[in-house]
Amino acid sequence: MSALAGWGDDYFWGAMVILRLFAVSLIIAVIIGLIGAAMKLSGNRLAQTIANAYTVIFRGTPELLVLLIVYFGAAVTLTAIVQSFDANVKFIDIPPFWAGAFAIALIVGAYMTETFRGAFLGVDSGHVEAARALGLSNFQTFVYVRIPQMWRLALPNFGNHMLSLMKDTALISVIGVEEIVFVAEMATTVTNKPFTMYIVVAFIYLCITTVITLAVMLLEKYANKHLVGGK
Amino acid sequence: MSEEKPIIVLENVCKYFGNFKALTDVNLTVQKGARIVVCGPSGSGKSTMIRCINRLEEHDSGRIIVAGNELTDAVKNIDAVRREVGMVFQSFNLFPHLKVVDNLTLALKLVRKVGKPEAREIATRYLERVHIPDQADKYPSQLSGGQQQRVAIARALCMNPEVMLFDEPTSALDPEMISEVLDVMTELAEEGMTMICVTHEMGFARSVADQIAFMDAGEIVEIAPPSEFFQNPRSERTKLFLSQILSH
Amino acid sequence: MIFEFGLIFGSIPKMLTGLGLTLQLLLLSSFIGLVLAVITLLMRISGRWFLVAPAVVYIYIFRGTPILVQIFVIYYGLPQFEFIREGVFWPFLREPFWCCILALSLNAGAYVSEILRGGVLGVDKGAQEAASALGISKTQSFIYITTPIAIRLSLPAYSNDIISMTKATALASTVTLLDMTGVARTIVAQTFAPYEIFISAAIIYMVIAWMVQKGFGMLERRMSRYIKATR
């Protein structure tokens, strides 16, 4: 740790920033994903078209571009709006953290949409029919039959999306959020040890993604407990 | 017959899957031209036994000798045995990405080093023998289950084996397709092919087999000619099994 | 806010000057990545611990860290060491282009080898058993049975990976390269019209993604002739 030459604190706080970003984006992404999946499954043509356009656009555009569009775009838009009220305003700055969180959530939300949709459709329609035949209401069927199976089906993909989300957080250094890549940049200018400084960043990411992977594995084991031990 | 050397000998063969003993001191001698049907409840070790005969499973102790080659870790012996032994599986196991004719010729070309035209000729001959020469250029997925299983039989026959092993060849088939496969197997038997066949088709066993082996819990409990096997089973376990499968 | 369509159409030709670099990055690193992936796969399934272990560690590290960080470690980090600066690869490693190629290839190698492994594991064991029963050797069986089936099984995931790679090439702009995103960023810096410029770039990326998807879709259909054909 002496190699870090006193930058340990900065890395720690930088790591806190990306973890916070991770949490915020994840929540927004899940909400977007649920809305998107509901739109795709709604049977309403307009809603389906919008949701389809959304997933095609956000899965086909580089993450970096989405981030730049959201960050700079929001700044320009807000500036224009504010200027229409007060011509003296020169420029409105958008908090980069929130622009980043929103951009990443939009990207990952597109993937979540597909995952949630797939999980919903993946539940054996025989189970749903059986539940209806037993006299369960639509709502009861949804809560007791669909949801418990859906989250099991969605889990592997959901885990992968969490990993990509985590890795996407590195992008926000580009718009100047003071997270760990930014810390490494600062530390490099002072210590002139770029490899050491950036490898620390890689190591921090590797630790976090490992924790996520293990957590998903445990959840999967829990979710599939009724499937093992058949023999 | 008895003066000839047996083609397959199993001596005190044992096989474990972890702690589970799948085969317990199995002894079996198969003469050339013999037609042996193996039956028994599921999990009794029937499949395991015939899979040991061509080393798809390794036995843990005892000896297995096929056409004079003892099965050990020696790759040379395993290859020699596999050349003499054809195998037909419950789920056909055709190569899905190859056309029927290529399913038949692949091993001829790779293992027997037969040239392409000759391989095709052999394949056509055996497809005729299983009554589907017109399906040569289709993919397995385009055939019915019964046709697929007949392709699998032809594929094994192409290699000109001394012995054919059948591992529940009709269990995965729809009822109306079982007879077309059993017919082909009966014809094979009539031509004098040595066969060991795991099956639940007791009608086939009665008419084709010259010996029926009953297995339970990894042991060969009883082995007898069909008339004796069905009329006077000696063991209680055999009686119970027969009463269960013949009660409908 | 005024959305200037003129600016979009005006900027697309400029953007296309960066397209060449984007495609170079994409094609070169997917090719090297594929070679790396096959080598890694063979190591991974060799069953020998001294080959399996390095393959697993390589995959773990490159899938667990952001590509951006990998690019920074290679481009900014490696020159920290004198033996790199004095070494034979220095003419390459001091070029941001080759650093990006290296990072993207290593990344693709790790992801694609896992995709291919999934394909290999997806091949029905029965077909391989049938091959052994016919006396076909393990190596022959791998070449003639496992490989063709595994390739078809991996194709959809591989196509997605090429699309991810396309998007990842945009990160080259963070180390001064003028790929499509790089060009877009310079134009935005001059015109300050982020929506128009970045969206034009996004459209070109989406067209590439669309072509990749269509191309692989056609290839997959061709290779799937043997599945569920008409009776």
Side-chain angles (χ1 to χ4, degrees), chain B residues 2-20:
Chain B
S2 57
E3 71 271 17
E4 251 186 277
K5 252 172 69 179
I7 188 147
I8 297 176
V9 179
L10 278 72
E11 270 176 26
N12 300 320
V13 172
C14 296
K15 164 80 189 164
Y16 293 86
F17 291 115
N19 285 327
F20 176 72

Side-chain angles (χ1 to χ4, degrees), chain C residues 166-183:
Chain C
T166 314
K167 297 193 285 177
T169 58
L171 297 174
S173 67
T174 61
V175 286
T176 71
L177 283 178
L178 287 179
D179 71 319
M180 233 157 40
T181 304
V183 173

